Amino acid sequence: METVVIGVIGADVHAVGNRIIEYALKQEGFNVVNLGVMVSQQEFLDAVIETNAKAVIVSSLYGHGELDCRGMGDRFIEAGYGHVLLFIGGNLVIGKTDFNEVEDKFKAMGFHRVFPPNSDINEGIERLKEDLLKS
Amino acid sequence: MTRFCLMDVGSTYTKGCWVDTDQVGILAWASAPTTASTDINEGIQNVLNQLKTIYPDFNYESMRLCSSAKGGLRMVAIGLVEDLTLKAARMACANAGAKLVGAYSHKLNLQELKEIETLKPDIILLSGGTDGGNEEVVLHNAKKLAKLNIKLPILYAGNKSCQDEIHQILSEVNHDVRISANVMPSYGVLNVESARDQIRACFLEQIIEAKGLSTLTSIVQDIIMPTPASVLDALSLLAYGTKQEKGLGDLMAVDVGGATTDVYSLTSNQAPPSGVQIKGLIEPLVKRSVEGDLGLRISARHVLDLDSELQADEDLSLYVDKLTHEIHGSSNPRYDENLASTCVKIASRRHAGRLEQIYTSMGLETIQYGKDLRSVKTLIGIGGPIVYAVEPSHILNQVKQTEADILLPQTIEFILDKQYILSCLGLLAKTHPDWALKTMKHHLEKIHG
């Protein structure tokens, strides 16, 4: 049973989607460490270190994801946890930016997969399972 | 068995209480200077002799004792992440009545190992990883500890998945290995009770002998524990009560010493106010913190450095200089009171939780770190500097909330442990709870704020 750390990053208090992610992951047999809302990059990293989690799913709904996530991949690499899968999804930027651009931006920050608004959580979990098999 | 002699040894004075659990109240008290450098038995004998002289019918069936002799219970805590398992390990040590002399996070290196050898703690608490979590770092640290040139008890309270391996690594090199439940079994969840009980058991079995206190076991029949552990047992009883006897409810206590300031808080379960997000480790309802840099003698200079108001007082500064050079010099009650006030002010603020407000696109959000002590209604002053102060309430007042974001009590009643009964009566808290509680209520003195 792999451990996955989840939470809503930054000063974002949207709690519902994150709960649904927790529920769906548990249904699939994952051990979920839910850090809740208003989670900092360091909290995600600390939780990964202690729990030996293999993946992190970051949610951001309020449009400031880009600011909050800057340097996150590097932080994990610097701490020796660059092998941990970083997923992110939600309303990552304000306005109608082309999603390909958004995806490139977050991949450059170290995220392995980036999900647009209205993504199906079950599809996300399938990608997670595939990536975990490869990692 | 109803007649007990209860002793608190190791601090400046050895204190003794003579009690009969068939009647509420303490039959007699006595105290004598501790002679730790020679033999602490001398202090005990002097107390016993005093009691015998004053009360010809002095007799008891059992003697129980708590000790802070030879530096108390000195521990090193090792964890993985500073704010998670290391913090949990620190709390387990404090609640067991120990004084932390070193704390290490992540992988230990040789330099740190040498430091531990120099510190020569009584017990090492090794933690790290949630259950099923990180194994790499605790295994690394166990292998490093196996190379220590000193042999000492090591308590493992980390990830349960590598418990057996760690036991093997450390016992192969003849360390006294003990195992308890993980101090942080899952993320953010604290479980200090099992580790605390193991530390107390280890103190009783091993440390007494190692500290040359073993001659005591010939006169002390059953319970021996670190003094702060006994105080914590007494305070728990006083706060939560028993089935028969109601307690005082949520309370705090402060104890200022020469080198450290202890703060205790005992609270009941309460939901956070609506709209407040809790962050970090959920702290235990029964919490003790020890501030190793706040005290009236050894750490007096540091206390002065922390308080700009005190620094402005030149006479006080001269006094502190004198203290640093001659520990047993004559004391000035007014200056000591000012220093004690600063110790209590800073220590209680470090102990209490705090609120942080953050502006978000959804409006103002509030985050809470640590314990909310605003519901506490009682504060107990322990130890000479507070009890003998010209105005004890001046020192105790410092615990009151003055900053809106620090979660300290707003209105609070003061109680003084004038006869130093808490450490002694804590020794009967587990076996004679109703009697001990009634007796504490009988002797503790309320003072006006």
Side-chain angles (χ1 to χ4, degrees), chain A residues 77-125:
Chain A
I77 292 168
E78 195 70 56
Y81 289 82
H83 57 279
V84 173
L85 292 172
L86 296 180
F87 282 25
I88 188 162
N91 298 316
L92 299 179
V93 291
I94 297 170
K96 286 198 170 112
T97 316
D98 174 25
F99 183 70
N100 289 325
E101 261 179 56
V102 176
E103 189 176 16
D104 288 346
K105 213 172 245 176
F106 280 83
K107 282 198 167 165
M109 288 185 217
F111 286 89
H112 301 91
R113 285 194 188 269
V114 186
F115 296 90
N118 305 317
S119 295
D120 182 342
I121 178 63
N122 292 314
E123 273 177 35
I125 292 176

Side-chain angles (χ1 to χ4, degrees), chain B residues 55-225:
Chain B
Y55 305 94
D57 60 338
F58 173 67
N59 67 81
Y60 57 89
E61 289 141 287
S62 176
M63 182 189 277
R64 292 181 179 184
L65 177 144
C66 58
S67 164
S68 53
K70 316 249 166 168
L73 172 57
R74 301 170 69 255
M75 286 188 68
V76 157
I78 301 167
L80 175 47
V81 171
E82 170 96 37
D83 281 339
L84 296 172
T85 43
L86 179 56
K87 192 170 178 189
R90 282 171 185 272
M91 285 195 200
C93 293
N95 276 19
K99 181 180 169 187
L100 216 59
V101 291
Y104 302 91
S105 58
H106 297 285
K107 286 184 180 173
L108 287 171
N109 59 34
L110 274 177
Q111 178 60 36
E112 289 169 325
L113 209 62
K114 289 214 167 69
E115 252 175 57
I116 295 174
E117 281 170 358
T118 318
L119 289 168
K120 285 200 186 69
D122 298 315
I123 307 175
I124 292 176
L125 175 60
L126 173 62
S127 69
T130 53
D131 284 344
N134 189 303
E135 295 183 16
E136 186 203 344
V137 177
V138 269
L139 284 170
H140 168 96
N141 287 343
K143 284 174 194 157
K144 272 276 184 298
L145 292 176
K147 291 182 185 153
L148 277 175
N149 281 329
I150 46 171
K151 295 284 171 255
L152 74 175
I154 298 175
L155 171 62
Y156 178 62
N159 183 357
K160 78 175 175 73
S161 309
C162 42
Q163 215 173 66
D164 301 336
E165 222 174 321
I166 284 188
H167 190 276
Q168 198 184 349
I169 292 167
L170 293 171
S171 54
E172 263 172 8
V173 290
N174 298 321
H175 280 305
D176 170 9
V177 195
R178 286 147 193 264
I179 305 281
S180 80
N182 195 344
V183 286
M184 196 184 85
S186 53
Y187 179 86
V189 176
L190 202 66
N191 175 30
V192 295
E193 288 79 14
S194 169
R196 178 202 63 197
D197 293 346
Q198 287 280 348
I199 295 167
R200 286 192 186 192
C202 183
F203 178 80
L204 186 59
E205 292 163 29
Q206 299 289 321
I207 311 306
I208 297 287
E209 187 147 358
K211 284 187 176 286
L213 308 177
S214 55
T215 46
L216 289 178
T217 43
S218 57
I219 52 165
V220 179
Q221 279 72 21
D222 46 4
I223 292 176
I224 303 181
M225 61 169 97

Side-chain angles (χ1 to χ4, degrees), chain A:
Chain A
M1 188 173 58
E2 298 291 11
T3 300
V4 181
V5 170
I6 68 168
V8 187
I9 199 163
D12 193 345
V13 291
H14 292 89
V16 181
N18 190 51
R19 288 263 175 82
I20 295 171
I21 294 175
E22 176 179 4
Y23 178 80
L25 283 167
K26 281 186 172 164
Q27 290 292 309
E28 291 295 314
F30 285 98
N31 177 34
V32 184
V33 175
N34 186 352
L35 304 180
V37 299
M38 300 177 86
V39 181
S40 68
Q41 288 188 13
Q42 189 60 41
E43 281 176 274
F44 279 111
L45 177 59
D46 286 348
V48 164
I49 296 173
E50 291 280 10
T51 62
N52 205 24
K54 297 284 184 285
V56 174
I57 300 177
V58 176
S59 297
S60 177
L61 280 300
Y62 71 156
H64 301 292
E66 192 185 337
L67 266 178
D68 294 334
C69 295
R70 215 170 266 172
M72 186 146 176
D74 288 343
R75 184 187 287 249
F76 272 63
I77 292 168
E78 195 70 56
Y81 289 82
H83 57 279
V84 173
L85 292 172
L86 296 180
F87 282 25
I88 188 162
N91 298 316
L92 299 179
V93 291
I94 297 170
K96 286 198 170 112
T97 316
D98 174 25
F99 183 70
N100 289 325
E101 261 179 56
V102 176
E103 189 176 16
D104 288 346
K105 213 172 245 176
F106 280 83
K107 282 198 167 165
M109 288 185 217
F111 286 89
H112 301 91
R113 285 194 188 269
V114 186
F115 296 90
N118 305 317
S119 295
D120 182 342
I121 178 63
N122 292 314
E123 273 177 35
I125 292 176
E126 286 313 308
R127 298 292 89 74
L128 176 65
K129 285 182 188 166
E130 288 166 20
D131 291 356
L132 283 172
L133 278 178
K134 282 187 250 161
S135 66

